[in-house]
PDB file of all heavy atoms in Angstrom:
ATOM      1  N   ASP P1083       0.878  -1.159  -0.002  1.00 89.00           N
ATOM      2  CA  ASP P1083       0.042   0.025  -0.068  1.00 89.00           C
ATOM      3  C   ASP P1083       0.931   1.227  -0.006  1.00 89.00           C
ATOM      4  O   ASP P1083       1.426   1.580   1.035  1.00 89.00           O
ATOM      5  CB  ASP P1083      -0.946  -0.038   1.222  1.00 89.00           C
ATOM      6  CG  ASP P1083      -1.835  -1.141   1.153  1.00 89.00           C
ATOM      7  OD1 ASP P1083      -2.179  -1.753   0.146  1.00 89.00           O
ATOM      8  OD2 ASP P1083      -2.325  -1.518   2.344  1.00 89.00           O
ATOM      9  N   VAL P1084       0.995   1.942  -1.157  1.00 90.00           N
ATOM     10  CA  VAL P1084       1.920   3.000  -1.340  1.00 90.00           C
ATOM     11  C   VAL P1084       1.507   4.261  -0.546  1.00 90.00           C
ATOM     12  O   VAL P1084       0.328   4.472  -0.320  1.00 90.00           O
ATOM     13  CB  VAL P1084       2.155   3.341  -2.792  1.00 90.00           C
ATOM     14  CG1 VAL P1084       2.813   2.158  -3.522  1.00 90.00           C
ATOM     15  CG2 VAL P1084       0.862   3.771  -3.608  1.00 90.00           C
ATOM     16  N   ASP P1085       2.500   5.040  -0.273  1.00 90.00           N
ATOM     17  CA  ASP P1085       2.245   6.416   0.291  1.00 90.00           C
ATOM     18  C   ASP P1085       3.024   7.373  -0.569  1.00 90.00           C
ATOM     19  O   ASP P1085       3.750   6.995  -1.463  1.00 90.00           O
ATOM     20  CB  ASP P1085       2.582   6.533   1.717  1.00 90.00           C
ATOM     21  CG  ASP P1085       3.943   6.273   2.173  1.00 90.00           C
ATOM     22  OD1 ASP P1085       4.805   6.468   1.270  1.00 90.00           O
ATOM     23  OD2 ASP P1085       4.171   5.753   3.198  1.00 90.00           O
ATOM     24  N   VAL P1086       2.984   8.647  -0.221  1.00 90.00           N
ATOM     25  CA  VAL P1086       3.549   9.712  -0.997  1.00 90.00           C
ATOM     26  C   VAL P1086       5.150   9.462  -1.013  1.00 90.00           C
ATOM     27  O   VAL P1086       5.806   9.750  -2.066  1.00 90.00           O
ATOM     28  CB  VAL P1086       3.225  11.048  -0.487  1.00 90.00           C
ATOM     29  CG1 VAL P1086       4.028  12.183  -1.260  1.00 90.00           C
ATOM     30  CG2 VAL P1086       1.727  11.360  -0.542  1.00 90.00           C
ATOM     31  N   GLY P1087       5.642   8.892  -0.038  1.00 90.00           N
ATOM     32  CA  GLY P1087       7.123   8.595   0.024  1.00 90.00           C
ATOM     33  C   GLY P1087       7.622   7.668  -1.025  1.00 90.00           C
ATOM     34  O   GLY P1087       8.780   7.552  -1.282  1.00 90.00           O
ATOM     35  N   HIS P1088       6.696   6.803  -1.584  1.00 92.00           N
ATOM     36  CA  HIS P1088       7.076   5.917  -2.685  1.00 92.00           C
ATOM     37  C   HIS P1088       7.253   6.627  -4.036  1.00 92.00           C
ATOM     38  O   HIS P1088       7.623   5.971  -4.995  1.00 92.00           O
ATOM     39  CB  HIS P1088       6.032   4.763  -2.841  1.00 92.00           C
ATOM     40  CG  HIS P1088       6.083   3.781  -1.736  1.00 92.00           C
ATOM     41  ND1 HIS P1088       5.213   3.778  -0.620  1.00 92.00           N
ATOM     42  CD2 HIS P1088       6.966   2.758  -1.439  1.00 92.00           C
ATOM     43  CE1 HIS P1088       5.474   2.831   0.150  1.00 92.00           C
ATOM     44  NE2 HIS P1088       6.576   2.267  -0.316  1.00 92.00           N
ATOM     45  N   SER P1089       6.847   7.896  -4.130  1.00 92.00           N
ATOM     46  CA  SER P1089       6.955   8.605  -5.340  1.00 92.00           C
ATOM     47  C   SER P1089       8.421   8.718  -5.736  1.00 92.00           C
ATOM     48  O   SER P1089       9.332   8.757  -4.861  1.00 92.00           O
ATOM     49  CB  SER P1089       6.397  10.004  -5.228  1.00 92.00           C
ATOM     50  OG  SER P1089       4.999   9.984  -5.122  1.00 92.00           O
ATOM     51  N   GLY P1090       8.668   8.721  -7.062  1.00 93.00           N
ATOM     52  CA  GLY P1090      10.163   8.946  -7.509  1.00 93.00           C
ATOM     53  C   GLY P1090      10.379   8.028  -8.744  1.00 93.00           C
ATOM     54  O   GLY P1090       9.529   7.465  -9.305  1.00 93.00           O
ATOM     55  N   THR P1091      11.642   7.862  -8.904  1.00 94.00           N
ATOM     56  CA  THR P1091      12.069   6.996 -10.076  1.00 94.00           C
ATOM     57  C   THR P1091      12.666   5.669  -9.504  1.00 94.00           C
ATOM     58  O   THR P1091      13.286   5.551  -8.555  1.00 94.00           O
ATOM     59  CB  THR P1091      13.217   7.712 -10.933  1.00 94.00           C
ATOM     60  OG1 THR P1091      14.348   7.949 -10.114  1.00 94.00           O
ATOM     61  CG2 THR P1091      12.711   8.952 -11.526  1.00 94.00           C
ATOM     62  N   TYR P1092      12.272   4.665 -10.357  1.00 95.00           N
ATOM     63  CA  TYR P1092      12.652   3.305 -10.047  1.00 95.00           C
ATOM     64  C   TYR P1092      13.402   2.794 -11.177  1.00 95.00           C
ATOM     65  O   TYR P1092      13.088   3.029 -12.397  1.00 95.00           O
ATOM     66  CB  TYR P1092      11.469   2.388  -9.823  1.00 95.00           C
ATOM     67  CG  TYR P1092      10.800   2.674  -8.430  1.00 95.00           C
ATOM     68  CD1 TYR P1092       9.830   3.615  -8.282  1.00 95.00           C
ATOM     69  CD2 TYR P1092      11.155   2.019  -7.278  1.00 95.00           C
ATOM     70  CE1 TYR P1092       9.304   3.923  -7.158  1.00 95.00           C
ATOM     71  CE2 TYR P1092      10.549   2.326  -6.090  1.00 95.00           C
ATOM     72  CZ  TYR P1092       9.650   3.239  -5.983  1.00 95.00           C
ATOM     73  OH  TYR P1092       8.960   3.497  -4.709  1.00 95.00           O
ATOM     74  N   GLN P1093      14.553   1.954 -10.943  1.00 96.00           N
ATOM     75  CA  GLN P1093      15.308   1.327 -11.913  1.00 96.00           C
ATOM     76  C   GLN P1093      15.611  -0.111 -11.435  1.00 96.00           C
ATOM     77  O   GLN P1093      15.771  -0.339 -10.190  1.00 96.00           O
ATOM     78  CB  GLN P1093      16.581   2.117 -12.190  1.00 96.00           C
ATOM     79  CG  GLN P1093      16.386   3.259 -13.174  1.00 96.00           C
ATOM     80  CD  GLN P1093      17.803   3.815 -13.560  1.00 96.00           C
ATOM     81  OE1 GLN P1093      18.582   4.335 -12.668  1.00 96.00           O
ATOM     82  NE2 GLN P1093      18.104   3.775 -14.863  1.00 96.00           N
ATOM     83  N   CYS P1094      15.913  -1.012 -12.409  1.00 96.00           N
ATOM     84  CA  CYS P1094      16.256  -2.256 -12.140  1.00 96.00           C
ATOM     85  C   CYS P1094      17.618  -2.482 -12.770  1.00 96.00           C
ATOM     86  O   CYS P1094      17.864  -2.138 -13.872  1.00 96.00           O
ATOM     87  CB  CYS P1094      15.218  -3.190 -12.611  1.00 96.00           C
ATOM     88  SG  CYS P1094      15.655  -4.994 -12.676  1.00 96.00           S
ATOM     89  N   VAL P1095      18.600  -3.172 -11.924  1.00 96.00           N
ATOM     90  CA  VAL P1095      19.832  -3.551 -12.474  1.00 96.00           C
ATOM     91  C   VAL P1095      19.879  -4.994 -12.484  1.00 96.00           C
ATOM     92  O   VAL P1095      19.743  -5.737 -11.520  1.00 96.00           O
ATOM     93  CB  VAL P1095      21.042  -2.940 -11.595  1.00 96.00           C
ATOM     94  CG1 VAL P1095      22.335  -3.361 -12.137  1.00 96.00           C
ATOM     95  CG2 VAL P1095      20.881  -1.471 -11.350  1.00 96.00           C
ATOM     96  N   ALA P1096      20.047  -5.540 -13.875  1.00 95.00           N
ATOM     97  CA  ALA P1096      20.178  -6.978 -13.967  1.00 95.00           C
ATOM     98  C   ALA P1096      21.618  -7.367 -14.165  1.00 95.00           C
ATOM     99  O   ALA P1096      22.345  -6.628 -14.846  1.00 95.00           O
ATOM    100  CB  ALA P1096      19.349  -7.410 -15.160  1.00 95.00           C
ATOM    101  N   THR P1097      22.023  -8.440 -13.453  1.00 94.00           N
ATOM    102  CA  THR P1097      23.449  -8.781 -13.474  1.00 94.00           C
ATOM    103  C   THR P1097      23.519 -10.308 -13.598  1.00 94.00           C
ATOM    104  O   THR P1097      22.782 -11.071 -13.112  1.00 94.00           O
ATOM    105  CB  THR P1097      24.092  -8.408 -12.099  1.00 94.00           C
ATOM    106  OG1 THR P1097      23.816  -7.138 -11.759  1.00 94.00           O
ATOM    107  CG2 THR P1097      25.601  -8.690 -12.102  1.00 94.00           C
ATOM    108  N   ASN P1098      24.542 -10.682 -14.532  1.00 91.00           N
ATOM    109  CA  ASN P1098      24.892 -12.124 -14.620  1.00 91.00           C
ATOM    110  C   ASN P1098      26.416 -12.259 -14.730  1.00 91.00           C
ATOM    111  O   ASN P1098      27.150 -11.191 -14.999  1.00 91.00           O
ATOM    112  CB  ASN P1098      24.100 -12.953 -15.625  1.00 91.00           C
ATOM    113  CG  ASN P1098      24.542 -12.521 -17.072  1.00 91.00           C
ATOM    114  OD1 ASN P1098      25.265 -11.615 -17.253  1.00 91.00           O
ATOM    115  ND2 ASN P1098      24.037 -13.294 -17.995  1.00 91.00           N
ATOM    116  N   GLN P1099      26.917 -13.424 -14.529  1.00 88.00           N
ATOM    117  CA  GLN P1099      28.500 -13.616 -14.475  1.00 88.00           C
ATOM    118  C   GLN P1099      28.669 -14.760 -15.532  1.00 88.00           C
ATOM    119  O   GLN P1099      27.985 -15.746 -15.541  1.00 88.00           O
ATOM    120  CB  GLN P1099      28.979 -14.155 -13.191  1.00 88.00           C
ATOM    121  CG  GLN P1099      28.785 -13.087 -12.088  1.00 88.00           C
ATOM    122  CD  GLN P1099      29.185 -13.462 -10.691  1.00 88.00           C
ATOM    123  OE1 GLN P1099      29.367 -14.732 -10.473  1.00 88.00           O
ATOM    124  NE2 GLN P1099      29.469 -12.535  -9.839  1.00 88.00           N
ATOM    125  N   LEU P1100      29.622 -14.559 -16.474  1.00 81.00           N
ATOM    126  CA  LEU P1100      29.854 -15.497 -17.410  1.00 81.00           C
ATOM    127  C   LEU P1100      31.331 -15.871 -17.425  1.00 81.00           C
ATOM    128  O   LEU P1100      32.119 -15.205 -16.806  1.00 81.00           O
ATOM    129  CB  LEU P1100      29.450 -14.923 -18.789  1.00 81.00           C
ATOM    130  CG  LEU P1100      28.007 -14.583 -19.074  1.00 81.00           C
ATOM    131  CD1 LEU P1100      27.862 -14.033 -20.457  1.00 81.00           C
ATOM    132  CD2 LEU P1100      27.144 -15.904 -18.922  1.00 81.00           C
ATOM    133  N   GLY P1101      31.659 -16.961 -18.101  1.00 72.00           N
ATOM    134  CA  GLY P1101      33.036 -17.411 -18.197  1.00 72.00           C
ATOM    135  C   GLY P1101      33.219 -18.581 -17.277  1.00 72.00           C
ATOM    136  O   GLY P1101      32.447 -18.797 -16.361  1.00 72.00           O
ATOM    137  N   GLN P1102      34.270 -19.329 -17.583  1.00 70.00           N
ATOM    138  CA  GLN P1102      34.522 -20.491 -16.771  1.00 70.00           C
ATOM    139  C   GLN P1102      34.909 -20.075 -15.351  1.00 70.00           C
ATOM    140  O   GLN P1102      34.526 -20.860 -14.406  1.00 70.00           O
ATOM    141  CB  GLN P1102      35.761 -21.287 -17.316  1.00 70.00           C
ATOM    142  CG  GLN P1102      35.351 -21.952 -18.618  1.00 70.00           C
ATOM    143  CD  GLN P1102      36.543 -22.764 -19.288  1.00 70.00           C
ATOM    144  OE1 GLN P1102      37.717 -22.594 -18.807  1.00 70.00           O
ATOM    145  NE2 GLN P1102      36.195 -23.537 -20.193  1.00 70.00           N
ATOM    146  N   ASP P1103      35.488 -18.953 -15.028  1.00 70.00           N
ATOM    147  CA  ASP P1103      35.919 -18.608 -13.822  1.00 70.00           C
ATOM    148  C   ASP P1103      34.798 -17.671 -13.161  1.00 70.00           C
ATOM    149  O   ASP P1103      35.013 -17.245 -12.035  1.00 70.00           O
ATOM    150  CB  ASP P1103      37.281 -17.968 -13.729  1.00 70.00           C
ATOM    151  CG  ASP P1103      37.359 -16.796 -14.768  1.00 70.00           C
ATOM    152  OD1 ASP P1103      36.342 -16.475 -15.391  1.00 70.00           O
ATOM    153  OD2 ASP P1103      38.473 -16.244 -14.920  1.00 70.00           O
ATOM    154  N   ARG P1104      33.751 -17.331 -13.904  1.00 68.00           N
ATOM    155  CA  ARG P1104      32.669 -16.414 -13.502  1.00 68.00           C
ATOM    156  C   ARG P1104      33.161 -14.995 -12.997  1.00 68.00           C
ATOM    157  O   ARG P1104      32.616 -14.379 -12.246  1.00 68.00           O
ATOM    158  CB  ARG P1104      31.908 -16.966 -12.380  1.00 68.00           C
ATOM    159  CG  ARG P1104      31.164 -18.314 -12.827  1.00 68.00           C
ATOM    160  CD  ARG P1104      29.641 -18.163 -12.509  1.00 68.00           C
ATOM    161  NE  ARG P1104      28.975 -19.370 -12.901  1.00 68.00           N
ATOM    162  CZ  ARG P1104      28.076 -19.456 -13.846  1.00 68.00           C
ATOM    163  NH1 ARG P1104      27.834 -18.400 -14.593  1.00 68.00           N
ATOM    164  NH2 ARG P1104      27.545 -20.540 -14.186  1.00 68.00           N
ATOM    165  N   HIS P1105      34.331 -14.594 -13.628  1.00 75.00           N
ATOM    166  CA  HIS P1105      34.855 -13.300 -13.178  1.00 75.00           C
ATOM    167  C   HIS P1105      34.345 -12.187 -14.103  1.00 75.00           C
ATOM    168  O   HIS P1105      34.538 -11.075 -13.867  1.00 75.00           O
ATOM    169  CB  HIS P1105      36.352 -13.294 -13.233  1.00 75.00           C
ATOM    170  CG  HIS P1105      36.996 -14.091 -12.110  1.00 75.00           C
ATOM    171  ND1 HIS P1105      36.792 -13.736 -10.774  1.00 75.00           N
ATOM    172  CD2 HIS P1105      37.791 -15.222 -12.093  1.00 75.00           C
ATOM    173  CE1 HIS P1105      37.425 -14.581  -9.993  1.00 75.00           C
ATOM    174  NE2 HIS P1105      38.004 -15.490 -10.823  1.00 75.00           N
ATOM    175  N   SER P1106      33.674 -12.553 -15.228  1.00 84.00           N
ATOM    176  CA  SER P1106      33.194 -11.643 -16.148  1.00 84.00           C
ATOM    177  C   SER P1106      31.763 -11.255 -15.717  1.00 84.00           C
ATOM    178  O   SER P1106      30.832 -12.066 -15.781  1.00 84.00           O
ATOM    179  CB  SER P1106      33.179 -12.104 -17.560  1.00 84.00           C
ATOM    180  OG  SER P1106      34.442 -12.452 -18.031  1.00 84.00           O
ATOM    181  N   VAL P1107      31.533 -10.023 -15.278  1.00 88.00           N
ATOM    182  CA  VAL P1107      30.210  -9.623 -14.668  1.00 88.00           C
ATOM    183  C   VAL P1107      29.585  -8.614 -15.741  1.00 88.00           C
ATOM    184  O   VAL P1107      30.282  -7.696 -16.215  1.00 88.00           O
ATOM    185  CB  VAL P1107      30.400  -8.931 -13.302  1.00 88.00           C
ATOM    186  CG1 VAL P1107      29.075  -8.329 -12.819  1.00 88.00           C
ATOM    187  CG2 VAL P1107      31.042  -9.811 -12.282  1.00 88.00           C
ATOM    188  N   PHE P1108      28.367  -8.926 -16.019  1.00 90.00           N
ATOM    189  CA  PHE P1108      27.582  -8.136 -16.995  1.00 90.00           C
ATOM    190  C   PHE P1108      26.414  -7.498 -16.304  1.00 90.00           C
ATOM    191  O   PHE P1108      25.683  -8.115 -15.455  1.00 90.00           O
ATOM    192  CB  PHE P1108      27.201  -8.898 -18.219  1.00 90.00           C
ATOM    193  CG  PHE P1108      28.297  -9.495 -18.959  1.00 90.00           C
ATOM    194  CD1 PHE P1108      28.775 -10.782 -18.660  1.00 90.00           C
ATOM    195  CD2 PHE P1108      29.017  -8.704 -20.021  1.00 90.00           C
ATOM    196  CE1 PHE P1108      29.920 -11.226 -19.333  1.00 90.00           C
ATOM    197  CE2 PHE P1108      29.988  -9.249 -20.739  1.00 90.00           C
ATOM    198  CZ  PHE P1108      30.441 -10.503 -20.342  1.00 90.00           C
ATOM    199  N   ARG P1109      26.191  -6.260 -16.643  1.00 92.00           N
ATOM    200  CA  ARG P1109      25.024  -5.417 -15.969  1.00 92.00           C
ATOM    201  C   ARG P1109      24.112  -4.851 -17.124  1.00 92.00           C
ATOM    202  O   ARG P1109      24.766  -4.343 -18.153  1.00 92.00           O
ATOM    203  CB  ARG P1109      25.492  -4.338 -15.177  1.00 92.00           C
ATOM    204  CG  ARG P1109      26.129  -4.952 -13.879  1.00 92.00           C
ATOM    205  CD  ARG P1109      26.687  -3.860 -13.057  1.00 92.00           C
ATOM    206  NE  ARG P1109      27.590  -4.619 -12.071  1.00 92.00           N
ATOM    207  CZ  ARG P1109      27.682  -4.401 -10.845  1.00 92.00           C
ATOM    208  NH1 ARG P1109      27.048  -3.468 -10.294  1.00 92.00           N
ATOM    209  NH2 ARG P1109      28.388  -5.080 -10.005  1.00 92.00           N
ATOM    210  N   ALA P1110      22.878  -4.768 -16.927  1.00 92.00           N
ATOM    211  CA  ALA P1110      21.972  -4.112 -17.714  1.00 92.00           C
ATOM    212  C   ALA P1110      21.044  -3.201 -16.836  1.00 92.00           C
ATOM    213  O   ALA P1110      20.398  -3.751 -15.987  1.00 92.00           O
ATOM    214  CB  ALA P1110      21.096  -5.038 -18.558  1.00 92.00           C
ATOM    215  N   LEU P1111      21.015  -2.006 -17.139  1.00 94.00           N
ATOM    216  CA  LEU P1111      20.276  -1.052 -16.347  1.00 94.00           C
ATOM    217  C   LEU P1111      19.019  -0.629 -17.101  1.00 94.00           C
ATOM    218  O   LEU P1111      19.036  -0.318 -18.282  1.00 94.00           O
ATOM    219  CB  LEU P1111      21.104   0.225 -16.041  1.00 94.00           C
ATOM    220  CG  LEU P1111      20.508   1.307 -15.190  1.00 94.00           C
ATOM    221  CD1 LEU P1111      20.287   0.768 -13.744  1.00 94.00           C
ATOM    222  CD2 LEU P1111      21.368   2.471 -15.143  1.00 94.00           C
ATOM    223  N   SER P1112      17.875  -0.872 -16.416  1.00 94.00           N
ATOM    224  CA  SER P1112      16.600  -0.630 -17.147  1.00 94.00           C
ATOM    225  C   SER P1112      16.369   0.942 -17.237  1.00 94.00           C
ATOM    226  O   SER P1112      17.089   1.667 -16.529  1.00 94.00           O
ATOM    227  CB  SER P1112      15.396  -1.145 -16.318  1.00 94.00           C
ATOM    228  OG  SER P1112      15.231  -0.377 -15.072  1.00 94.00           O
ATOM    229  N   PRO P1113      15.421   1.378 -18.162  1.00 93.00           N
ATOM    230  CA  PRO P1113      15.170   2.768 -18.161  1.00 93.00           C
ATOM    231  C   PRO P1113      14.465   3.137 -16.874  1.00 93.00           C
ATOM    232  O   PRO P1113      13.847   2.265 -16.214  1.00 93.00           O
ATOM    233  CB  PRO P1113      14.123   2.801 -19.383  1.00 93.00           C
ATOM    234  CG  PRO P1113      14.283   1.635 -20.131  1.00 93.00           C
ATOM    235  CD  PRO P1113      14.819   0.637 -19.211  1.00 93.00           C
ATOM    236  N   GLU P1114      14.437   4.413 -16.475  1.00 93.00           N
ATOM    237  CA  GLU P1114      13.808   4.883 -15.280  1.00 93.00           C
ATOM    238  C   GLU P1114      12.291   4.794 -15.458  1.00 93.00           C
ATOM    239  O   GLU P1114      11.713   5.104 -16.416  1.00 93.00           O
ATOM    240  CB  GLU P1114      14.207   6.312 -14.990  1.00 93.00           C
ATOM    241  CG  GLU P1114      15.607   6.410 -14.365  1.00 93.00           C
ATOM    242  CD  GLU P1114      15.919   7.887 -14.001  1.00 93.00           C
ATOM    243  OE1 GLU P1114      15.164   8.789 -14.239  1.00 93.00           O
ATOM    244  OE2 GLU P1114      16.980   8.045 -13.360  1.00 93.00           O
ATOM    245  N   LEU P1115      11.657   4.392 -14.386  1.00 92.00           N
ATOM    246  CA  LEU P1115      10.212   4.385 -14.228  1.00 92.00           C
ATOM    247  C   LEU P1115       9.881   5.467 -13.211  1.00 92.00           C
ATOM    248  O   LEU P1115      10.174   5.348 -12.080  1.00 92.00           O
ATOM    249  CB  LEU P1115       9.574   3.014 -13.933  1.00 92.00           C
ATOM    250  CG  LEU P1115       8.103   2.959 -13.545  1.00 92.00           C
ATOM    251  CD1 LEU P1115       7.287   2.995 -14.889  1.00 92.00           C
ATOM    252  CD2 LEU P1115       7.777   1.715 -12.829  1.00 92.00           C
ATOM    253  N   ALA P1116       9.086   6.448 -13.702  1.00 92.00           N
ATOM    254  CA  ALA P1116       8.597   7.428 -12.706  1.00 92.00           C
ATOM    255  C   ALA P1116       7.300   7.087 -12.207  1.00 92.00           C
ATOM    256  O   ALA P1116       6.386   6.771 -12.880  1.00 92.00           O
ATOM    257  CB  ALA P1116       8.610   8.870 -13.485  1.00 92.00           C
ATOM    258  N   LEU P1117       7.169   7.050 -10.857  1.00 91.00           N
ATOM    259  CA  LEU P1117       5.936   6.715 -10.224  1.00 91.00           C
ATOM    260  C   LEU P1117       5.515   7.985  -9.326  1.00 91.00           C
ATOM    261  O   LEU P1117       6.317   8.387  -8.554  1.00 91.00           O
ATOM    262  CB  LEU P1117       6.264   5.533  -9.251  1.00 91.00           C
ATOM    263  CG  LEU P1117       4.979   4.920  -8.603  1.00 91.00           C
ATOM    264  CD1 LEU P1117       3.990   4.381  -9.486  1.00 91.00           C
ATOM    265  CD2 LEU P1117       5.392   3.911  -7.449  1.00 91.00           C
ATOM    266  N   GLU P1118       4.310   8.388  -9.555  1.00 91.00           N
ATOM    267  CA  GLU P1118       3.818   9.415  -8.789  1.00 91.00           C
ATOM    268  C   GLU P1118       2.622   8.998  -7.911  1.00 91.00           C
ATOM    269  O   GLU P1118       1.667   8.360  -8.472  1.00 91.00           O
ATOM    270  CB  GLU P1118       3.267  10.620  -9.811  1.00 91.00           C
ATOM    271  CG  GLU P1118       2.787  11.792  -8.948  1.00 91.00           C
ATOM    272  CD  GLU P1118       2.284  12.854  -9.927  1.00 91.00           C
ATOM    273  OE1 GLU P1118       2.313  12.664 -11.219  1.00 91.00           O
ATOM    274  OE2 GLU P1118       1.783  13.905  -9.470  1.00 91.00           O
ATOM    275  N   VAL P1119       2.800   9.208  -6.640  1.00 90.00           N
ATOM    276  CA  VAL P1119       1.718   8.721  -5.705  1.00 90.00           C
ATOM    277  C   VAL P1119       0.955  10.027  -5.239  1.00 90.00           C
ATOM    278  O   VAL P1119       1.553  10.890  -4.619  1.00 90.00           O
ATOM    279  CB  VAL P1119       2.331   8.033  -4.518  1.00 90.00           C
ATOM    280  CG1 VAL P1119       1.275   7.611  -3.502  1.00 90.00           C
ATOM    281  CG2 VAL P1119       3.144   6.860  -4.891  1.00 90.00           C
TER     282      VAL P1119
END
């Protein structure tokens, strides 16, 4: 149940690790979602 304090921008950062040693880290940042309460 949202209140006015939940207003603002939200983003999601997706991360995975690839390679045999899993030292290669990849990130994808979502576009900002503006939420107005």
